[in-house]
Amino acid sequence: MKIMESAQNYLETIYMLQKKNGSVRSIDIAHELSYSKPSVSVAMKNFREAGYITVDESGEIKLTKKGEEIAVNMYERHTLIAKALMAIGVSEETAYKDSCKIEHDISDESFEKIKDFIDRNAK
């Protein structure tokens, strides 16, 4: 299923915050993305209804299997594209900034070729 770039960013952010902090609440996402709390709350309601996340009584957000698949895919794209850009001399800051844009638009074929190239040439 193809989901919008903003949804991909939200799910990837939840995934990264879970890895970093262990638990995630709406306020954490709002701070990380510099979005308003009401905007994040609306998005989380939509994600919960679509089956991408669960939210417990204390407000802790967890990715479902469906949400995690998308988040892991976006995270892999983000980090691998940044790694490829740094390998050709782009600064780390610029590489991560640019990879955030590229990860949403790159074809699966191009991504797989970049991934194969990085894997073959990793030191």
Side-chain angles (χ1 to χ4, degrees), residues 43-61:
M44 294 307 104
K45 178 181 181 264
N46 292 335
F47 290 147
R48 190 177 66 253
E49 289 174 355
Y52 294 115
I53 64 167
T54 60
V55 182
D56 69 15
E57 314 79 46
S58 67
E60 185 176 346
I61 298 166

Side-chain angles (χ1 to χ4, degrees), residues 61-109:
I61 298 166
K62 293 189 178 179
L63 293 167
T64 62
K65 183 176 179 177
K66 179 178 168 181
E68 188 171 2
E69 285 176 5
I70 294 166
V72 167
N73 180 271
M74 296 316 301
Y75 182 74
E76 178 186 32
R77 284 175 172 249
H78 188 127
T79 56
L80 192 90
I81 292 166
K83 186 176 180 180
L85 292 171
M86 288 184 285
I88 60 171
V90 176
S91 71
E92 183 175 353
E93 180 181 351
T94 300
Y96 276 100
K97 190 178 193 182
D98 288 348
S99 71
C100 195
K101 298 171 192 167
I102 296 167
E103 70 183 299
H104 302 286
D105 294 323
I106 193 169
S107 69
D108 290 340
E109 179 185 1

Side-chain angles (χ1 to χ4, degrees), residues 21-49:
N21 302 333
S23 66
V24 181
R25 294 181 22 228
S26 290
I27 193 69
D28 303 321
I29 299 164
H31 287 158
E32 185 71 21
L33 295 174
S34 298
Y35 291 168
S36 71
K37 177 83 166 74
S39 294
V40 172
S41 292
V42 168
M44 294 307 104
K45 178 181 181 264
N46 292 335
F47 290 147
R48 190 177 66 253
E49 289 174 355

